[in-house]
Each structure stands twice: as C-alpha cells, then as structure tokens.
C-alpha cells in the first residue's frame, strides 16, 4: 500500500456548523480494495471527529488546515 495525503481545511458553514473541505480524495470511479476502503474510512472518521471537536464560537473559531495520511 502507498501512503496518500489528504489536505483538509477545517472551517464552518454559513450558519456556523463544522465543515471540512478535503483535497486529495480519489476521483470518479476509483478502484479501491477492501483494505484501502477501510483505511480511507478510518481517516474520514478521524476528520469528522476533529471537525466536530473544534470550537465554533464567535471568539474561539479559527480555520485550520491539517494533513491526514491514509496508508492505502
């Protein structure tokens, strides 16, 4: 398996809800084996958890760019 980096910008929607903008996902019709799918799923879960854990208040909110590695 080859490591793949996903670049994620943690931000928020126009109404203040958590949002993750992700660059580096496989394109249309990606061929992925089950182990690769599980690796992407694990990283996506981590991104979702990190996104929800970020402060969204008017005084505490800041955009954050993070790189996540997928061992797929």
């Amino acid at each position: 398996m080859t490591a793949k980096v996903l670049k994620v910008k943690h931000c928020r929607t126009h109404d203040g809800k958590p949002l993750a903008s992700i660059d580096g996902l496989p394109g249309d019709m990606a061929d992925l084996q089950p182990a690769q799918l599980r690796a992407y799923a694990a990283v996506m879960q981590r991104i979702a958890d990190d996104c929800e854990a970020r402060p969204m208040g008017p005084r505490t909110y800041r955009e954050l760019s993070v790189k996540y590695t997928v061992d797929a």
Side-chain angles (χ1 to χ4, degrees), residues 4-58:
K4 174 83 172 158
V5 175
L6 299 180
K7 297 174 189 169
V8 178
K9 182 170 90 174
H10 291 281
C11 45
R12 62 182 174 185
T13 62
H14 69 289
D15 57 349
K17 294 186 175 129
L19 180 70
S21 296
I22 304 172
D23 181 30
L25 289 171
D28 291 342
M29 294 301 297
D31 294 324
L32 300 170
Q33 296 173 355
Q36 293 170 311
L37 291 168
R38 287 185 188 92
Y40 274 101
V43 171
M44 296 300 276
Q45 182 66 52
R46 183 172 161 216
I47 292 169
D49 292 345
D50 290 353
C51 193
E52 289 180 331
R54 300 206 69 252
M56 290 287 124

